[in-house]
Amino acid sequence: MTDYLMNAWYQAGFTEEVPAGGKLGRIICEIPLVFFRRPGGQLTALVDRCAHRFAPLSAGRVDGGAIFCGYHGLGFGAEGTCVHNPHGPIVSALRLRSFPVVERHAIIWVWLGDPDRAEPALIPDLSYIDETPPQARIAGYMPTAANYQLLSDNILDLSHADYLHPDTLGGINTTAKSTNRREGDTIVVDWLAENCEPPPAFRVTLNGAQRADIWTEVVWQAPAVLTLGVAAVPAGQPRTAQDESYTLHNMVPETATTTHYFYCSTRRFRVDDEGFSQFLRGAFAQAFTQEDKPMLEKQQARIGTADFWSLEPVLLKIDAASTRARRLLGQRIADEKTESR
Amino acid sequence: MTDYLMNAWYQAGFTEEVPAGGKLGRIICEIPLVFFRRPGGQLTALVDRCAHRFAPLSAGRVDGGAIFCGYHGLGFGAEGTCVHNPHGPIVSALRLRSFPVVERHAIIWVWLGDPDRAEPALIPDLSYIDETPPQARIAGYMPTAANYQLLSDNILDLSHADYLHPDTLGGINTTAKSTNRREGDTIVVDWLAENCEPPPAFRVTLNGAQRADIWTEVVWQAPAVLTLGVAAVPAGQPRTAQDESYTLHNMVPETATTTHYFYCSTRRFRVDDEGFSQFLRGAFAQAFTQEDKPMLEKQQARIGTADFWSLEPVLLKIDAASTRARRLLGQRIADEKTESR
Amino acid sequence: MTDYLMNAWYQAGFTEEVPAGGKLGRIICEIPLVFFRRPGGQLTALVDRCAHRFAPLSAGRVDGGAIFCGYHGLGFGAEGTCVHNPHGPIVSALRLRSFPVVERHAIIWVWLGDPDRAEPALIPDLSYIDETPPQARIAGYMPTAANYQLLSDNILDLSHADYLHPDTLGGINTTAKSTNRREGDTIVVDWLAENCEPPPAFRVTLNGAQRADIWTEVVWQAPAVLTLGVAAVPAGQPRTAQDESYTLHNMVPETATTTHYFYCSTRRFRVDDEGFSQFLRGAFAQAFTQEDKPMLEKQQARIGTADFWSLEPVLLKIDAASTRARRLLGQRIADEKTESR
């Protein structure tokens, strides 16, 4: 089994994926999990494998805040305690591992490691999502057959847009001024393209301006939670908060070679412009599904099961931020293993 | 390779699967086998891999009681002797392993172990099949991607019907009186639901009775041959032999994680009622294909390649019979390994 | 990883598969390769995995004799040198392994071993292709999920046609006079069917003759390049060069269990007869795709990952040539390993 960062909040999905009475099964870091709600709405996260015969509880049904196995009817409630055994007493072994789970920023967060360290304050601050009216959010989920770190590399080096997304997002980042730095537990990388020819997907917001100033910033946090902020204004005009859009790119490992890619775009302009939302959905579909996903999966296929560093990738300037992030994450995983001995 | 019970009769299929001049290829316990008939109708079972270049003989043709390889024309007859070599003398190495094979109860039985111990008397007594006119038999085959012991567990604990088949067969077994015992080499488990509300699939036979007495009995024999007997009568009425139906559930390992699930339902009532047969076929299709198979395959997916006991399943009262069966089978497999040293 | 013969020319495809400005990605002996042309038309063969992040270059674009990675824009030219790095200096590590590549006989040949030994004179002489006008060539590609040596065995023992292709090519080779011999680095096997009833696919060329003399000859060269020559004339008539057809069967290992099967039929008669070409295409489609490929893949499935010889195939007279070829190839691979120590 691959080593994952265990003491971390992972996105299991969006809150709307678990309606009242509903359930969601998802494998994270190779651990099968099931999510469902108590009558009051509070989420429960349990291992998605019945203690009795190992059937997935996510194939069962939810009732009154408990989940009932679809095979033999055992019910498990919050904290994984058995609340119903139609076949005898509730013995102490009838208990499922439960996981700390929190809803914040319209996202379900689950903690896989030591429950005593599951501090909600450690959830990345994505308050830009809450500050955005729902009609100006575009959330999506794209399962991808590649390691999650290849996916975070992809966002930490946006120069790739110039080559992989030339018809939508690309054209400015290779030549933009870029810096990167560590800030606390985050890695920050930014690009400034001054007086540039705006990429096609930016033109809509620029009211016909032929030249633009475009600021881009990516903030990475372990394990692979990235926020991509962009502001584009006609060249020389002042930038305001209203010009900004922030998009979450959250790369959640399912296995060593498969990733749950969650994204959520937010914006502060054209908030009620459904036509613009539609345009963005189309641009994302092209860029993410038609361009990123195939490339990332081909990249994974070439890497196979080899360790990434063992293949001796040539490090370029554009890899500075992703290399920092990989090393920071690697150190945290190594520290966890040392601690747990 | 997984350990299987070798000195045992395994169902290779139903007799009608091998018509005169026909052939059947099937992998049992990871051994590829081919079945065909002599002119007199007697079956031959050979390893399904030509001695010459390892092509499957089941891709060839049958003629005059021999099977001819479709690649280079070598012919092999009963006992696996080469009967035709178009390319030279029939050397002694041109011989295929043959397997004892018997037809009984409309079923093809093959013996994978020591041929000297292949006693037809060891074939499970399924004479209820012979005693049933063909129009009152419903035979089926459902390949399932799960270990065969998960499939026999499923029948040895019919309480699962209450949760997995609520619209057809379920509703009575969790609360029924149940006992189980070893009888010789069999494990027997029975359920008696007195004055119960009959499950939907039983109502047809009860002539509108609102309450019923229902007897259910499962007899297991190694490796995983199960007969499920049921009798349902209006509550308080006497039970007669005419009320009984017996269904074979024969779980034949193909590999460690795939099973040939053969079933054959027989009944002593409504024997000529084709409408009722049609109703049963529909009920089986729903219960087996739509409900059992997906659950068993999900269960297998959660177990993966782990040893079942290593996962420490919590044993409930309902698992008593399946645990007995697993232990009895495990002991027999272990004994075989000891003997063969 | 399986051992392959490294110091050998392998067919990567047909020249027409790489037009000007085009590219071809193909895995040979488990090595991913990409092929493209310089402006003058000369081919380049590079490892198909960018030095930077391991994306396949074959997912990129070709411009001015270089191939540009579709992910981050790095360009690599002939000899694998980096010709364009949009992100900084061209450091020495930015280099891809290149492979000697030659076009000859309308085929792209690549050398995977020691470049100093990549002598074009070692390319098999297939001048019959060049001597045949394009309209009388029928080239094809059939990826097959079987080891390449099973595919060369298939051609080295044409008796299989009598059983696998009875409706097109078979009927004469089991009883034909056959000899085989080593000639230098080749294995030659021939068949002479005198005064035979011609197989169906031969009748078209025999102008209604009921009996024929048919010469067949296969020349094998390592690793698995085979030329199959045939001449059929009405029985007793003299054979001339105009009666001959030669077909390349080139079995190129992709992995241990998958093969690129390239073929190219040529003929000296009915050169401009498009109807006859169409007839041949249909015959090949039936014989190769419908008959050979399924049998070879089933054969591979039965062999699995076992070593061929470990299964102790019974050797018949018809296996003499293929056994010679397997041993000769095995010896050359073993010699290479010894040398490289």
Side-chain angles (χ1 to χ4, degrees), chain B residues 104-118:
Chain B
R104 187 171 291 179
H105 311 315
I107 285 169
I108 300 167
W109 300 92
V110 65
W111 181 273
L112 301 179
D114 176 0
D116 291 341
R117 298 172 62 177

Side-chain angles (χ1 to χ4, degrees), chain A residues 325-338:
Chain A
R326 279 180 174 266
R327 291 195 174 142
L328 186 48
L329 176 61
Q331 189 58 51
R332 286 191 53 185
I333 292 173
D335 289 349
E336 255 188 25
K337 292 187 73 173
T338 306

Side-chain angles (χ1 to χ4, degrees), chain A residues 48-328:
Chain A
D48 189 19
R49 190 176 53 212
C50 185
H52 172 227
R53 291 273 138 169
F54 316 124
L57 293 161
S58 58
R61 70 188 170 78
V62 172
D63 189 17
I67 192 158
F68 293 84
C69 183
Y71 199 5
H72 299 99
L74 280 82
F76 297 89
E79 283 85 53
T81 50
C82 182
V83 297
H84 184 64
N85 174 7
H87 313 292
I90 294 177
V91 295
S92 62
L94 276 178
R95 165 176 283 281
L96 296 179
R97 184 175 168 195
S98 74
F99 297 85
V101 60
V102 170
E103 289 183 273
R104 188 172 291 179
H105 311 315
I107 285 169
I108 300 167
W109 301 91
V110 65
W111 181 273
L112 302 179
D114 177 359
D116 291 341
R117 299 173 61 178
E119 187 54 57
L122 295 172
I123 292 173
D125 179 5
L126 311 176
S127 47
Y128 56 86
I129 293 177
D130 311 291
E131 293 161 4
T132 304
Q135 71 273 22
R137 301 178 196 166
I138 298 171
Y141 169 54
M142 182 173 76
T144 301
N147 182 275
Y148 68 109
Q149 294 195 70
L150 294 179
L151 276 72
S152 46
D153 291 351
N154 182 61
I155 300 299
L156 284 164
D157 171 16
L158 291 177
S159 78
H160 84 269
D162 299 357
Y163 312 96
L164 194 55
H165 314 305
D167 301 329
T168 49
L169 303 166
I172 56 170
N173 285 329
T174 297
T175 52
K177 280 179 279 186
S178 179
T179 70
N180 67 83
R181 59 199 174 277
R182 176 163 174 177
E183 291 186 3
D185 282 341
T186 72
I187 303 293
V188 180
V189 51
D190 55 33
W191 294 261
L192 172 56
E194 286 180 302
N195 194 30
C196 69
E197 185 183 343
F202 286 82
R203 287 179 201 152
V204 172
T205 65
L206 286 164
N207 300 315
Q210 296 301 305
R211 308 297 295 180
D213 296 333
I214 301 180
W215 292 262
T216 311
E217 185 185 75
V218 168
V219 179
W220 171 96
Q221 294 173 75
V225 185
L226 301 102
T227 293
L228 192 166
V230 181
V233 298
Q237 290 194 11
R239 165 187 172 177
T240 74
Q242 288 311 106
D243 299 314
E244 295 169 0
S245 76
Y246 292 93
T247 300
L248 169 70
H249 296 262
N250 203 349
M251 316 308 193
V252 178
E254 180 181 56
T255 68
T257 56
T258 58
T259 298
H260 304 292
Y261 186 162
F262 298 106
Y263 59 87
C264 183
S265 144
T266 68
R267 63 183 191 268
R268 299 182 172 182
F269 49 90
R270 298 193 181 214
V271 162
D272 298 311
D273 184 342
E274 173 55 23
F276 185 61
S277 290
Q278 206 56 44
F279 165 80
L280 286 180
R281 279 189 205 98
F284 292 161
Q286 178 176 342
F288 297 0
T289 311
Q290 303 298 320
E291 295 168 345
D292 280 317
K293 180 179 159 83
M295 182 60 80
L296 291 160
E297 295 184 341
K298 286 174 183 169
Q299 191 188 11
Q300 179 67 52
R302 281 290 181 268
I303 292 172
T305 56
D307 172 73
F308 179 76
W309 294 115
S310 76
L311 297 173
E312 302 185 357
V314 176
L315 295 181
L316 307 180
K317 191 180 55 179
I318 52 176
D319 303 314
S322 68
T323 301
R324 278 175 182 271
R326 279 180 174 266
R327 291 195 174 142
L328 186 48

Side-chain angles (χ1 to χ4, degrees), chain C:
Chain C
M1 183 168 150
T2 302
D3 291 321
Y4 300 99
L5 188 65
M6 287 289 119
N7 288 314
W9 291 103
Y10 283 97
Q11 177 169 358
F14 292 101
T15 60
E16 66 190 17
E17 291 186 82
V18 189
K23 56 198 156 63
L24 172 69
R26 203 150 261 160
I27 293 171
I28 300 181
C29 299
E30 304 180 29
I31 300 174
L33 300 167
V34 62
F35 300 85
F36 57 96
R37 294 187 185 280
R38 301 189 200 183
Q42 196 184 340
L43 271 176
T44 295
L46 303 179
V47 69
D48 189 19
R49 190 176 53 213
C50 185
H52 171 227
R53 291 273 138 169
F54 316 124
L57 293 161
S58 57
R61 71 189 169 78
V62 173
D63 189 17
I67 192 158
F68 292 84
C69 183
Y71 199 5
H72 299 99
L74 279 82
F76 297 88
E79 282 86 54
T81 51
C82 182
V83 297
H84 184 64
N85 174 8
H87 313 292
I90 294 176
V91 295
S92 62
L94 276 177
R95 165 176 283 282
L96 296 179
R97 184 176 168 195
S98 74
F99 297 85
V101 59
V102 171
E103 289 183 273
R104 187 171 292 179
H105 311 315
I107 285 169
I108 299 167
W109 300 92
V110 64
W111 181 273
L112 302 179
D114 177 0
D116 291 340
R117 298 172 62 177
E119 188 53 57
L122 295 173
I123 292 174
D125 179 5
L126 311 176
S127 47
Y128 56 85
I129 293 176
D130 311 290
E131 293 161 3
T132 304
Q135 72 273 22
R137 301 177 196 167
I138 298 171
Y141 169 55
M142 182 173 77
T144 301
N147 182 275
Y148 69 108
Q149 294 195 70
L150 294 179
L151 276 72
S152 46
D153 291 351
N154 181 61
I155 301 298
L156 284 164
D157 171 16
L158 291 177
S159 78
H160 84 268
D162 299 357
Y163 312 96
L164 194 55
H165 314 305
D167 301 329
T168 50
L169 303 166
I172 56 170
N173 285 329
T174 297
T175 51
K177 280 179 280 185
S178 179
T179 70
N180 68 83
R181 59 199 174 277
R182 176 163 174 178
E183 290 186 3
D185 282 341
T186 72
I187 303 293
V188 180
V189 51
D190 55 33
W191 294 261
L192 172 56
E194 286 180 302
N195 195 29
C196 69
E197 185 184 343
F202 286 83
R203 287 179 201 151
V204 172
T205 65
L206 286 163
N207 300 316
Q210 296 301 305
R211 310 296 295 179
D213 296 333
I214 302 181
W215 292 262
T216 311
E217 184 185 75
V218 168
V219 179
W220 170 96
Q221 295 173 75
V225 185
L226 301 102
T227 293
L228 193 166
V230 180
V233 298
Q237 290 195 10
R239 165 186 172 177
T240 74
Q242 289 311 105
D243 299 313
E244 295 169 0
S245 77
Y246 293 92
T247 300
L248 170 70
H249 296 262
N250 203 349
M251 315 308 194
V252 178
E254 179 181 56
T255 68
T257 56
T258 57
T259 298
H260 305 292
Y261 186 162
F262 298 107
Y263 58 87
C264 183
S265 144
T266 69
R267 62 183 191 268
R268 299 183 171 181
F269 50 89
R270 298 192 181 215
V271 162
D272 298 310
D273 184 342
E274 173 56 23
F276 185 61
S277 290
Q278 206 56 44
F279 165 80
L280 286 180
R281 279 189 204 98
F284 292 161
Q286 178 176 343
F288 297 0
T289 311
Q290 304 298 320
E291 295 168 344
D292 280 316
K293 180 178 159 83
M295 181 60 80
L296 291 160
E297 294 183 342
K298 286 174 183 168
Q299 191 188 11
Q300 178 67 52
R302 281 290 181 268
I303 292 172
T305 56
D307 172 73
F308 179 76
W309 294 115
S310 76
L311 297 173
E312 301 185 357
V314 176
L315 295 181
L316 307 180
K317 191 180 56 180
I318 52 176
D319 303 314
S322 68
T323 300
R324 279 175 182 270
R326 280 179 174 266
R327 290 193 174 144
L328 186 48
L329 176 61
Q331 189 58 51
R332 285 191 53 184
I333 292 173
D335 289 348
E336 255 188 25
K337 292 187 73 172
T338 306
E339 282 173 41
S340 68
R341 265 176 211 145

Side-chain angles (χ1 to χ4, degrees), chain B residues 20-33:
Chain B
K23 55 196 157 62
L24 172 69
R26 203 150 260 160
I27 293 171
I28 300 180
C29 300
E30 304 181 29
I31 301 173
L33 299 167

